[in-house]
Amino acid sequence: MDLSYTPEEEEFRARLREWLAKVLPGLPPKPSPDDWPGRRAYDLGWQRMLYDAGYAGLHWPADAGGRGATPTQHLIFLEETEKAGAPYVGANFVGLLHAGPTIAAEGSAGQRARWLPPVLRGEEVWCQGFSEPDAGSDLAALRTRARRDGDDYVVNGSKIWTSHAEVADWCELLVRTDPKAPKHRGISWLAMPMDAPGITVRPLRTLAGSTEFAEVFLDDVRVPVANRVGEENDGWRVTMVTLSFERGTAFVGEVVACRRVLGELAREARKNGRWDDAVLRRRLGRLNAEFRALWRLTQWNVSESERSGGVPGVGGSVFKLRYSRARQDLYDAAADVLGPEALGLDSRWTLDRLSSLSYTIAAGTSQIQRNIVAERILGLPKGR
């Protein structure tokens, strides 16, 4: 893989920097973390600005509404927007990073035409209905049932940790359509409208005090069969496509953010005298090497996905496994650099440290990732 940049790519970077410098000062103030309607409007507004400027869905295929940019241009976009302090995808993350790419890869022409443009234009928000209260890390143990009734599925069950459910228009929903089939084979992937009768959303408050997750209860919810992505009972395969995007490319911008945070810590250590501690310097140096390596791994994974038709491979599990640990190590180091006085309950650093704990669970637990690496990369036998 050639990790250098071409003149065309550097020109793309320069144009992007110029655009960001022009538009970012004019953005409105960010809404309160608890103001979810306000956050939805803010995030959709930024997405519309990206769309109007030609940066929405930069790496999506042209026939899916994107620009068909190269993986390297996509990485440049993520790097430059993060460095400039531009808004992240926020409430749009499921649609832009999970559901949208899945529909682009697996959906019919009609489904792509219906669902992808509103995501890119900043008009619709998606949430993810995968996890269930009694399934734990075993996603295939889901029990939410979808019974076929004419042109609809009638869905009953519940989901948990459903990101942004209270402001979402659509849900990427996993349901069991054949309860007699082996658990990995009786699943279907549906696009469920969140305004359908029978849906109850109950927000969950996290340890950090945020409410971006919710429980979702489904009582005789009717979802058109036309909203199924992929064949009936082939949902596990479609889900693996979704999780490939979630693990393989959805965290890319956060690696850049962690590198920026590490730079902040190094500057603070030089100011407050902690830089004199050789052990701390080595710790920060190791973290710098770690995140540089993760960025290179990201470049490799994105290049591999281009060769495989746009769907990231199992290398995303290697990235996700190591990144989730490195992120926790970063905020452990922050405590050493900043000291207890900077880590109050309302501190940004405290909230980020608490958030970092969730990354060993989100997008598949570290134990699941180790199994994937062992079986699909190293070729080890499956555990009994």
Side-chain angles (χ1 to χ4, degrees):
M1 182 180 64
D2 183 2
L3 298 179
S4 62
Y5 296 108
T6 66
E8 293 78 14
E9 288 163 349
E10 291 294 2
E11 182 183 354
F12 171 80
R13 186 193 299 274
R15 289 198 308 270
L16 175 60
R17 283 181 176 175
E18 182 181 0
W19 181 76
L20 289 169
K22 181 174 66 174
V23 301
L24 290 181
L27 289 181
K30 289 184 178 180
S32 164
D34 292 329
D35 179 9
W36 280 106
R39 290 180 65 176
R40 172 192 159 107
Y42 183 88
D43 295 337
L44 290 178
W46 172 245
Q47 182 61 29
R48 182 68 199 205
M49 291 177 68
L50 291 173
Y51 179 83
D52 290 341
Y55 290 117
L58 192 67
H59 61 300
W60 286 22
D63 62 356
R67 284 183 54 178
T70 67
T72 302
Q73 287 177 319
H74 180 216
L75 292 178
I76 290 172
F77 171 81
L78 293 170
E79 189 174 20
E80 293 300 326
T81 51
E82 180 59 42
K83 285 181 177 179
Y88 192 50
V89 290
N92 297 318
F93 88 92
V94 173
L96 287 167
L97 305 181
H98 306 171
T102 301
I103 293 168
E106 297 289 334
S108 67
Q111 290 171 338
R112 288 152 66 100
R114 166 59 188 89
W115 287 314
L116 298 183
V119 170
L120 293 179
R121 290 194 299 260
E123 295 170 355
E124 292 181 345
V125 170
W126 285 66
C127 62
Q128 186 181 76
F130 282 15
S131 299
E132 294 192 3
D134 297 322
S137 297
D138 186 5
L139 180 58
L142 65 91
R143 295 191 296 182
T144 295
R145 176 76 189 278
R147 174 179 55 83
R148 182 76 176 261
D149 181 25
D151 292 333
D152 292 334
Y153 289 110
V154 180
V155 182
N156 285 278
S158 65
K159 298 291 178 176
I160 198 168
W161 310 123
T162 307
S163 304
H164 305 316
E166 57 195 294
V167 293
D169 303 289
W170 293 91
C171 177
E172 51 173 1
L173 184 73
L174 292 189
V175 295
R176 188 160 297 284
T177 41
D178 184 355
K180 297 180 181 179
K183 66 179 186 179
H184 291 88
R185 298 181 183 174
I187 295 171
S188 296
W189 197 107
L190 304 180
M192 180 180 69
M194 288 298 289
D195 60 355
I199 299 176
T200 301
V201 176
R202 182 184 300 164
L204 294 169
R205 189 166 295 277
T206 69
L207 182 65
S210 61
T211 57
E212 69 264 31
F213 300 115
E215 294 178 285
V216 177
F217 300 93
L218 309 168
D219 298 301
D220 289 335
V221 179
R222 301 188 77 88
V223 179
V225 173
N227 287 19
R228 186 188 66 230
V229 175
E231 297 299 320
E232 186 170 280
N233 300 325
D234 191 33
W236 185 253
R237 184 191 62 79
V238 178
T239 301
M240 291 303 100
V241 173
T242 305
L243 294 178
S244 293
F245 285 113
E246 186 173 9
R247 296 164 184 164
T249 54
F251 292 119
V252 170
E254 299 191 37
V255 175
V256 182
C258 285
R259 294 176 69 182
R260 175 178 49 77
V261 168
L262 184 59
E264 290 182 39
L265 292 178
R267 288 190 292 274
E268 180 60 30
R270 289 185 174 94
K271 287 197 306 183
N272 67 16
R274 294 289 288 135
W275 194 253
D276 296 334
D277 185 337
V279 173
L280 178 64
R281 289 202 307 273
R282 284 195 296 271
R283 187 177 186 184
L284 296 180
R286 182 188 61 77
L287 281 168
N288 182 52
E290 183 98 43
F291 284 111
R292 286 172 66 88
L294 282 167
W295 182 249
R296 292 308 193 193
L297 178 58
T298 294
Q299 291 176 302
W300 185 84
N301 284 338
V302 171
S303 295
E304 282 291 293
S305 73
E306 183 182 32
R307 285 193 286 271
S308 63
V311 178
V314 292
S317 289
V318 178
F319 168 83
K320 198 272 174 180
L321 180 63
R322 190 56 230 171
Y323 169 71
S324 59
R325 182 67 257 174
R327 186 181 175 95
Q328 290 192 24
D329 291 345
L330 173 65
Y331 285 98
D332 281 344
D336 284 348
V337 171
L338 301 173
E341 65 276 4
L343 300 176
L345 291 177
D346 59 348
S347 165
R348 157 212 165 190
W349 296 98
T350 300
L351 296 177
D352 285 345
R353 176 64 180 102
L354 292 174
S355 174
S356 75
L357 299 175
S358 69
Y359 280 75
T360 54
I361 300 172
T365 65
S366 292
Q367 291 84 351
I368 294 293
Q369 307 308 321
R370 291 189 181 98
N371 282 343
I372 293 172
V373 170
E375 295 169 8
R376 302 185 195 175
I377 298 179
L378 301 179
L380 299 178
K382 292 187 177 183
R384 296 184 179 275

